[in-house]
Amino acid sequence: MESKQGNVIHSLYTMRSTWRDRDRDFRKELPGGETTQRLLVETIYETQPENKPIPGFDPDKDDAQYYRVQQNIDCDEVYPGIYIGDAATAKNKQYLQMLGITHLLNSAEGKRFGFVNTDANYYKDTMIKYIGFPLADSWAINISKYFYTAADFIDEAVSTGGKAFVHCVMGMSRSATCVLAYLMIKKEMLATDAIRQVRKNRFIQPNEGFLYQLAQLDNELRRQRL
């Protein structure tokens, strides 16, 4: 009996020691310090978007009708094979197919104001694979629970030679946050580098709550890679 009790006590002691070790690992200092929301806000404002032609169109073609069609498109390639755009462009199936989009992520799925009312059924007459997240563009929303799902979905497109189109209403906050998470998780970019990569190609501005969650993700990933 005493032997059994001793084994139990030993097991409990071992488990507690393991938890303490893990806690120490989690808290160990990061080279250069913690990534903060403020740092990511500063990176946003320090990086200015470059002026680039709309993907899929020939900027040298001089035709009035051709130019008018472009006025309804809001889309930028922010990383090879990854595009961010607005709701109107996401609903333009003809343009998406011309661009060769294989995967579409709606980060604002819903029927209320501030959301985009599309779903898998909307794209059933295409070969586009769809996923939707019912996210509001609010600092209080937990977007981080979708980070790995978004990263896996986008990676499925890019790793198989496809193209991913990620959108919300304006293509600035929710969609950009999902793409930034992908670059951090799958491409092992620091949050600041991911922001510079995307922002130089498109005017993005995730809300401060989303930037806080990206900062936490950055610290988590950096610790994992120590």
Side-chain angles (χ1 to χ4, degrees):
M1 185 69 176
E2 289 181 0
S3 177
K4 287 183 179 180
Q5 288 178 336
N7 289 336
V8 170
I9 292 170
H10 177 72
S11 296
L12 288 171
Y13 178 79
T14 302
M15 288 172 65
R16 287 172 183 165
S17 297
T18 300
W19 291 334
R20 282 198 298 270
D21 290 342
R22 287 177 179 173
D23 196 41
R24 276 197 298 271
D25 287 341
F26 181 76
R27 292 202 312 261
K28 67 182 158 187
E29 292 186 8
L30 291 168
E34 301 278 319
T35 302
T36 64
Q37 176 198 58
R38 181 176 179 178
L39 173 63
L40 301 191
V41 170
E42 291 173 350
T43 306
I44 287 281
Y45 287 106
E46 289 170 358
T47 309
Q48 296 303 311
E50 301 171 3
N51 187 21
K52 294 187 176 183
I54 299 173
F57 290 95
D58 181 358
D60 298 321
K61 185 173 181 178
D62 187 11
D63 179 84
Q65 179 61 31
Y66 192 72
Y67 179 74
R68 276 194 294 273
V69 171
Q70 296 179 57
Q71 303 314 296
N72 298 318
I73 302 297
D74 180 9
C75 172
D76 294 288
E77 187 173 20
V78 298
Y79 188 82
I82 302 175
Y83 301 77
I84 295 179
D86 68 356
T89 306
K91 292 181 177 181
N92 190 333
K93 290 182 280 189
Q94 183 179 2
Y95 174 70
L96 296 177
Q97 290 175 304
M98 180 187 78
L99 205 56
I101 298 300
T102 59
H103 292 63
L104 185 139
L105 192 165
N106 176 0
S107 59
E109 185 184 75
K111 298 181 180 180
R112 293 176 292 148
F113 178 78
F115 291 79
V116 185
N117 186 19
T118 60
D119 54 22
N121 190 57
Y122 183 83
Y123 299 96
K124 69 179 181 180
D125 58 343
T126 74
M127 297 298 290
I128 295 173
K129 185 173 182 179
Y130 173 92
I131 192 172
F133 303 152
L135 293 164
D137 185 18
S138 166
W139 64 270
I141 292 296
N142 180 12
I143 194 172
S144 66
K145 65 182 179 180
Y146 293 104
F147 281 168
Y148 283 87
T149 304
D152 287 342
F153 184 77
I154 296 170
D155 191 59
E156 180 181 278
V158 176
S159 64
T160 57
K163 295 180 179 180
F165 184 90
V166 186
H167 77 93
C168 44
V169 175
M170 302 293 291
M172 293 172 57
S173 183
R174 288 165 281 190
S175 54
T177 301
C178 289
V179 172
L180 292 170
Y182 159 79
L183 293 174
M184 293 163 63
I185 294 167
K186 297 297 184 179
K187 298 302 178 182
E188 299 190 2
M189 288 189 185
L190 296 176
T192 50
D193 293 335
I195 286 172
R196 293 186 188 101
Q197 168 64 39
V198 176
R199 174 108 169 160
K200 74 179 182 181
N201 290 296
R202 181 176 178 83
F203 182 85
I204 62 161
Q205 196 162 349
N207 70 55
E208 293 196 0
F210 291 173
L211 289 176
Y212 174 81
Q213 292 172 70
L214 287 171
Q216 297 308 302
L217 174 66
D218 198 48
N219 291 325
E220 174 189 316
L221 294 171
R222 290 169 64 200
R223 282 193 169 89
Q224 289 175 9
R225 293 162 185 163
L226 283 176

